[in-house]
Amino acid sequence: MRSYLDFEKPVAELEAKVEELRALGENRDAVSITDDISRLEVKAADALKELYAKLTPWQKTLVARHPQRPHFVDYCAGLITEFTPLAGDRKFAEDEAIVGGFGRFRGQPVCVMGQEKGHNTETRIRHNFGMARPEGYRKAVRLMEMADRFGLPVISIVDTAGAYPGIEAEERGQAEAIARSTEMQLSLGVPNVSVVIGEGGSGGAIAIATANKVLMLEHAIYSVISPEGAASILWRDAARAQDAATNMKITAQDLLRLGIIDGIVTEPVGGAHREPQAAIQATGNAIEEALHDLGNMGPAEIRDHRADKFLNIGRKL
């Protein structure tokens, strides 16, 4: 069953009327009902297109968090064949908030990893809502080391509210683990491409998003802190999250203009959750293009390209 956000109520009402007419179709004149349904469907589609053409940063935040939005496991299933997951950091434990392994992306052997939020209560708890502990980032380092050793490109899918902030995570060195993962990405001699598919929250995101090419889905967000967190700090009022979202410049469009990211993947009208397969294939096409652009570079050029990208952030506004 489709889930609607608060600002989508006008579209929800129109689509509900369409479903009501379809249910009545068996007991009414089929021709007239069909005509009414067609008119309402066109009206609903136009309303949806108009609504999503002018989303505010806060509305984009809500779309990025939509529970029916495709997650890492969906992208992995749709884009990676012969996927072999690897578990554990060889130091402490397995962390299912980050899923990773090796497979083939459109015939090319790759290393792929990403945060998985889960689709229902059971999987959300198992994956800790996509909030990784230190062992998750150390597993990511282990995977990247293997990819670098065997000359395999690295694809990372980012979708997290942030790294897990629990006491046990801090005790096991959360900040150090994030730093090591970031350092590993910067030192890779193979191309790496990162895609923010939903939320890109703080160090939990940057730990696997320090890539040669950083892409974002059209309605994804990427920020150092959540709008609610920023509002609580700046104004001591989480209710001002909408103001924070606007001022923080967290949307893909703002970040492309500021040179933080390298490209935007267009989503289907109404967001990736309405047509998941279309969104997944569009993301695959963008990743393929990015890898192709990096394909002729040697290890030293790859490292220099990545370093220059991040050193130039903020210098050309």
Side-chain angles (χ1 to χ4, degrees), residues 237-294:
D237 183 4
R240 295 190 64 180
Q242 296 187 40
D243 295 332
T246 300
N247 289 294
M248 287 167 63
K249 308 301 180 188
I250 62 177
T251 68
Q253 294 73 22
D254 284 330
L255 295 172
L256 181 64
R257 179 173 54 82
L258 294 170
I260 308 295
I261 65 170
D262 302 292
I264 298 174
V265 181
T266 303
E267 296 187 30
V269 175
H273 54 281
R274 281 187 169 256
E275 296 183 51
Q277 290 307 313
I280 290 169
Q281 290 307 310
T283 302
N285 293 339
I287 293 172
E288 183 176 28
E289 182 179 350
L291 289 175
H292 180 267
D293 292 342
L294 301 166

Coordinates of all heavy atoms in Angstrom, one line a residue, residues 237-294:
D237 N 15.4 24.6 19.5 CA 14.0 24.3 19.1 C 14.0 23.4 17.9 O 14.2 23.9 16.7 CB 13.3 25.6 18.8 CG 11.8 25.4 18.5 OD1 11.3 24.2 18.6 OD2 11.1 26.4 18.2
A238 N 13.8 22.1 18.0 CA 13.8 21.2 16.9 C 12.7 21.5 15.9 O 12.7 21.0 14.8 CB 13.7 19.8 17.5
A239 N 11.6 22.2 16.4 CA 10.5 22.5 15.5 C 10.9 23.4 14.4 O 10.2 23.6 13.4 CB 9.4 23.2 16.3
R240 N 12.1 24.1 14.5 CA 12.6 24.9 13.4 C 13.4 24.2 12.4 O 14.3 24.8 11.7 CB 13.3 26.1 14.0 CG 12.5 27.0 14.9 CD 13.2 28.3 15.2 NE 13.5 29.1 14.1 CZ 14.2 30.3 14.1 NH1 14.6 30.8 15.3 NH2 14.4 31.0 13.0
A241 N 13.2 22.9 12.3 CA 14.0 22.1 11.4 C 13.8 22.5 9.9 O 14.8 22.4 9.1 CB 13.6 20.6 11.5
Q242 N 12.6 23.0 9.6 CA 12.4 23.5 8.2 C 13.3 24.7 7.9 O 13.9 24.8 6.8 CB 11.0 23.9 8.0 CG 10.0 22.8 8.2 CD 8.6 23.2 7.8 OE1 8.4 23.9 6.8 NE2 7.6 22.6 8.5
D243 N 13.5 25.6 8.9 CA 14.4 26.8 8.7 C 15.8 26.3 8.5 O 16.6 26.8 7.7 CB 14.3 27.7 9.9 CG 12.9 28.4 10.0 OD1 12.3 28.5 8.9 OD2 12.5 28.7 11.1
A244 N 16.2 25.3 9.4 CA 17.6 24.8 9.3 C 17.8 24.1 8.0 O 18.9 24.3 7.4 CB 17.8 23.8 10.5
A245 N 16.9 23.3 7.5 CA 17.1 22.6 6.2 C 17.3 23.6 5.1 O 18.1 23.4 4.2 CB 15.8 21.8 5.9
T246 N 16.6 24.7 5.1 CA 16.7 25.7 4.1 C 18.1 26.4 4.1 O 18.7 26.6 3.1 CB 15.6 26.8 4.2 OG1 14.3 26.2 4.1 CG2 15.8 27.9 3.1
N247 N 18.5 26.7 5.3 CA 19.8 27.5 5.5 C 21.0 26.6 5.4 O 22.1 27.1 5.1 CB 19.8 28.2 6.8 CG 18.8 29.4 6.9 OD1 19.0 30.3 6.1 ND2 17.8 29.3 7.7
M248 N 20.9 25.3 5.6 CA 22.1 24.4 5.5 C 22.6 24.0 4.1 O 23.6 23.5 4.0 CB 21.8 23.2 6.4 CG 21.7 23.4 7.8 SD 21.0 22.0 8.7 CE 22.2 20.7 8.3
K249 N 21.7 24.3 3.1 CA 22.1 23.9 1.7 C 22.4 22.4 1.6 O 23.5 22.0 1.3 CB 23.3 24.7 1.2 CG 23.2 26.2 1.4 CD 22.0 26.8 0.7 CE 21.8 28.3 0.9 NZ 20.6 28.8 0.4
I250 N 21.4 21.6 1.9 CA 21.6 20.1 2.0 C 21.1 19.4 0.8 O 21.2 18.2 0.7 CB 20.9 19.6 3.2 CG1 19.4 19.8 3.2 CG2 21.5 20.2 4.5 CD1 18.6 19.2 4.4
T251 N 20.4 20.1 -0.2 CA 19.8 19.4 -1.3 C 20.9 19.1 -2.4 O 22.0 19.8 -2.4 CB 18.7 20.2 -1.9 OG1 19.2 21.4 -2.5 CG2 17.7 20.6 -0.9
A252 N 20.6 18.2 -3.3 CA 21.5 17.9 -4.4 C 21.8 19.1 -5.2 O 22.9 19.3 -5.7 CB 21.0 16.7 -5.2
Q253 N 20.8 19.9 -5.5 CA 20.9 21.0 -6.4 C 21.9 22.1 -5.7 O 22.7 22.6 -6.4 CB 19.5 21.7 -6.6 CG 18.6 20.8 -7.4 CD 18.0 19.6 -6.6 OE1 18.0 19.6 -5.4 NE2 17.6 18.6 -7.3
D254 N 21.7 22.3 -4.4 CA 22.6 23.3 -3.8 C 24.0 22.8 -3.7 O 25.0 23.5 -4.0 CB 22.1 23.5 -2.3 CG 20.9 24.5 -2.3 OD1 20.8 25.3 -3.1 OD2 20.1 24.3 -1.3
L255 N 24.2 21.5 -3.5 CA 25.5 20.9 -3.3 C 26.3 20.8 -4.7 O 27.5 20.9 -4.7 CB 25.5 19.5 -2.6 CG 24.9 19.6 -1.2 CD1 24.7 18.2 -0.7 CD2 25.9 20.3 -0.3
L256 N 25.5 20.6 -5.7 CA 26.2 20.6 -7.1 C 26.7 22.0 -7.4 O 27.8 22.2 -7.9 CB 25.2 20.1 -8.1 CG 25.7 20.1 -9.5 CD1 26.8 19.0 -9.7 CD2 24.6 19.7 -10.5
R257 N 25.9 23.0 -7.1 CA 26.2 24.4 -7.3 C 27.5 24.8 -6.5 O 28.3 25.5 -7.0 CB 25.1 25.3 -7.0 CG 25.3 26.8 -7.2 CD 24.1 27.6 -7.0 NE 23.5 27.3 -5.7 CZ 23.9 27.9 -4.5 NH1 24.9 28.8 -4.5 NH2 23.2 27.6 -3.4
L258 N 27.6 24.2 -5.3 CA 28.7 24.6 -4.4 C 30.0 23.7 -4.7 O 31.0 23.9 -4.1 CB 28.3 24.4 -3.0 CG 27.2 25.4 -2.5 CD1 26.7 24.9 -1.1 CD2 27.8 26.8 -2.4
G259 N 29.8 22.7 -5.6 CA 31.0 21.9 -6.0 C 31.3 20.8 -5.0 O 32.3 20.2 -5.0
I260 N 30.3 20.5 -4.1 CA 30.5 19.4 -3.2 C 30.3 18.0 -3.8 O 31.0 17.0 -3.5 CB 29.5 19.5 -2.0 CG1 29.5 20.9 -1.4 CG2 29.7 18.4 -1.0 CD1 30.8 21.2 -0.7
I261 N 29.3 17.9 -4.8 CA 29.1 16.7 -5.5 C 29.3 16.9 -7.0 O 29.5 18.0 -7.4 CB 27.6 16.2 -5.3 CG1 26.6 17.2 -5.9 CG2 27.4 15.9 -3.8 CD1 25.2 16.6 -5.9
D262 N 29.3 15.8 -7.7 CA 29.7 15.9 -9.1 C 28.6 15.7 -10.1 O 28.7 15.9 -11.3 CB 30.8 14.8 -9.4 CG 32.0 15.0 -8.5 OD1 32.7 16.0 -8.7 OD2 32.2 14.1 -7.6
G263 N 27.4 15.2 -9.6 CA 26.3 15.0 -10.5 C 25.0 14.6 -9.8 O 25.1 14.2 -8.6
I264 N 23.9 14.8 -10.5 CA 22.6 14.5 -9.9 C 21.9 13.5 -10.8 O 21.9 13.6 -12.0 CB 21.7 15.8 -9.8 CG1 22.3 16.8 -8.9 CG2 20.3 15.4 -9.3 CD1 21.6 18.1 -8.9
V265 N 21.4 12.4 -10.1 CA 20.7 11.4 -10.8 C 19.2 11.7 -10.8 O 18.6 11.8 -9.7 CB 20.9 10.0 -10.2 CG1 20.1 8.9 -10.9 CG2 22.4 9.7 -10.1
T266 N 18.6 11.9 -11.9 CA 17.2 12.3 -12.0 C 16.3 11.1 -11.5 O 16.4 10.0 -11.9 CB 16.8 12.7 -13.4 OG1 17.6 13.7 -13.9 CG2 15.3 13.1 -13.5
E267 N 15.3 11.5 -10.6 CA 14.4 10.5 -10.1 C 13.1 10.5 -10.9 O 12.7 11.5 -11.5 CB 14.1 10.8 -8.7 CG 15.3 10.6 -7.7 CD 14.9 10.7 -6.3 OE1 13.7 10.4 -5.9 OE2 15.7 11.2 -5.5
P268 N 12.3 9.4 -10.9 CA 11.0 9.5 -11.5 C 10.1 10.5 -10.9 O 10.3 10.9 -9.7 CB 10.4 8.0 -11.2 CG 11.6 7.2 -11.0 CD 12.7 8.1 -10.3
V269 N 9.1 11.0 -11.6 CA 8.2 12.0 -11.0 C 7.5 11.4 -9.7 O 7.0 10.3 -9.8 CB 7.1 12.4 -12.0 CG1 6.1 13.4 -11.3 CG2 7.8 13.1 -13.2
G270 N 7.6 12.1 -8.6 CA 7.1 11.6 -7.4 C 8.1 10.9 -6.5 O 7.7 10.5 -5.4
G271 N 9.3 10.9 -7.0 CA 10.4 10.3 -6.1 C 10.7 8.8 -6.5 O 9.9 8.1 -7.1
A272 N 11.8 8.4 -6.0 CA 12.3 7.0 -6.3 C 11.4 5.9 -5.8 O 11.3 4.8 -6.3 CB 13.7 6.8 -5.7
H273 N 10.6 6.2 -4.7 CA 9.7 5.2 -4.1 C 8.5 4.9 -5.0 O 7.9 3.9 -4.8 CB 9.2 5.7 -2.7 CG 8.6 7.1 -2.8 ND1 9.3 8.2 -2.8 CD2 7.3 7.4 -2.8 CE1 8.5 9.3 -2.8 NE2 7.2 8.8 -2.8
R274 N 8.2 5.8 -6.0 CA 7.1 5.5 -6.9 C 7.5 4.5 -8.0 O 6.6 3.7 -8.4 CB 6.5 6.8 -7.4 CG 5.6 7.5 -6.5 CD 5.0 8.7 -7.1 NE 3.9 9.2 -6.2 CZ 2.6 9.0 -6.3 NH1 2.2 8.3 -7.3 NH2 1.8 9.5 -5.5
E275 N 8.7 4.6 -8.5 CA 9.2 3.8 -9.5 C 10.6 3.3 -9.2 O 11.6 3.8 -9.8 CB 9.1 4.5 -10.9 CG 7.8 4.8 -11.4 CD 7.8 5.5 -12.8 OE1 8.4 4.9 -13.7 OE2 7.2 6.6 -12.9
P276 N 10.7 2.4 -8.2 CA 12.0 2.0 -7.8 C 13.0 1.5 -8.9 O 14.1 1.8 -8.9 CB 11.7 0.9 -6.7 CG 10.3 1.2 -6.3 CD 9.6 1.7 -7.5
Q277 N 12.4 0.6 -9.7 CA 13.3 0.1 -10.8 C 13.8 1.1 -11.7 O 15.0 1.1 -12.2 CB 12.5 -1.0 -11.5 CG 12.3 -2.3 -10.7 CD 13.6 -2.8 -10.1 OE1 14.6 -3.0 -10.8 NE2 13.5 -3.2 -8.8
A278 N 13.0 2.1 -12.0 CA 13.5 3.2 -12.9 C 14.6 4.0 -12.2 O 15.6 4.4 -12.9 CB 12.3 4.1 -13.3
A279 N 14.4 4.2 -10.9 CA 15.5 5.0 -10.2 C 16.7 4.2 -10.1 O 17.9 4.7 -10.2 CB 14.9 5.3 -8.8
I280 N 16.6 2.9 -9.9 CA 17.8 2.0 -9.8 C 18.6 2.0 -11.1 O 19.8 2.1 -11.1 CB 17.4 0.6 -9.3 CG1 16.9 0.6 -7.9 CG2 18.5 -0.4 -9.5 CD1 16.2 -0.7 -7.4
Q281 N 17.9 1.8 -12.2 CA 18.5 1.8 -13.5 C 19.2 3.1 -13.9 O 20.3 3.2 -14.4 CB 17.5 1.4 -14.6 CG 17.1 -0.1 -14.5 CD 18.2 -1.0 -14.5 OE1 19.2 -1.0 -15.3 NE2 18.2 -1.9 -13.5
A282 N 18.5 4.2 -13.5 CA 19.1 5.6 -13.8 C 20.4 5.7 -12.9 O 21.4 6.3 -13.4 CB 18.1 6.6 -13.4
T283 N 20.4 5.2 -11.7 CA 21.6 5.2 -10.9 C 22.7 4.4 -11.5 O 23.9 4.8 -11.5 CB 21.2 4.7 -9.5 OG1 20.2 5.6 -8.9 CG2 22.5 4.8 -8.6
G284 N 22.3 3.2 -12.0 CA 23.3 2.4 -12.6 C 23.9 3.0 -13.8 O 25.2 2.9 -14.1
N285 N 23.1 3.7 -14.6 CA 23.7 4.4 -15.8 C 24.7 5.5 -15.4 O 25.7 5.7 -16.0 CB 22.5 5.1 -16.6 CG 21.6 4.0 -17.2 OD1 22.0 2.9 -17.4 ND2 20.4 4.4 -17.6
A286 N 24.3 6.2 -14.3 CA 25.2 7.3 -13.8 C 26.5 6.7 -13.3 O 27.6 7.3 -13.5 CB 24.5 8.1 -12.7
I287 N 26.5 5.6 -12.6 CA 27.7 4.9 -12.1 C 28.5 4.5 -13.2 O 29.8 4.6 -13.2 CB 27.3 3.8 -11.2 CG1 26.6 4.3 -9.9 CG2 28.5 2.9 -10.8 CD1 26.1 3.2 -9.0
E288 N 27.9 3.9 -14.2 CA 28.6 3.4 -15.4 C 29.4 4.5 -16.1 O 30.5 4.4 -16.5 CB 27.7 2.7 -16.4 CG 28.4 2.1 -17.6 CD 27.4 1.3 -18.5 OE1 26.2 1.7 -18.5 OE2 27.8 0.3 -19.1
E289 N 28.7 5.6 -16.3 CA 29.3 6.8 -16.9 C 30.5 7.3 -16.1 O 31.6 7.7 -16.6 CB 28.3 7.9 -17.1 CG 28.8 9.1 -17.8 CD 27.8 10.2 -18.0 OE1 26.6 9.9 -17.8 OE2 28.1 11.3 -18.4
A290 N 30.3 7.4 -14.8 CA 31.4 7.9 -13.9 C 32.6 6.9 -13.9 O 33.8 7.4 -14.0 CB 30.9 8.0 -12.5
L291 N 32.4 5.6 -13.9 CA 33.5 4.7 -14.0 C 34.2 4.8 -15.3 O 35.4 4.7 -15.4 CB 33.0 3.3 -13.7 CG 32.6 2.9 -12.3 CD1 32.0 1.5 -12.2 CD2 33.8 3.1 -11.3
H292 N 33.4 5.0 -16.4 CA 34.0 5.1 -17.7 C 35.0 6.4 -17.8 O 36.1 6.3 -18.4 CB 32.9 5.3 -18.8 CG 33.5 5.4 -20.2 ND1 33.7 6.6 -20.8 CD2 33.8 4.5 -21.1 CE1 34.1 6.5 -22.0 NE2 34.2 5.1 -22.2
D293 N 34.5 7.5 -17.1 CA 35.3 8.7 -17.1 C 36.7 8.5 -16.4 O 37.7 9.1 -16.7 CB 34.6 9.8 -16.5 CG 33.4 10.3 -17.3 OD1 33.3 10.0 -18.5 OD2 32.5 10.9 -16.7
L294 N 36.7 7.6 -15.4 CA 37.9 7.3 -14.6 C 38.7 6.2 -15.1 O 39.8 5.9 -14.6 CB 37.5 7.1 -13.2 CG 36.7 8.2 -12.5 CD1 36.1 7.7 -11.2 CD2 37.6 9.4 -12.2

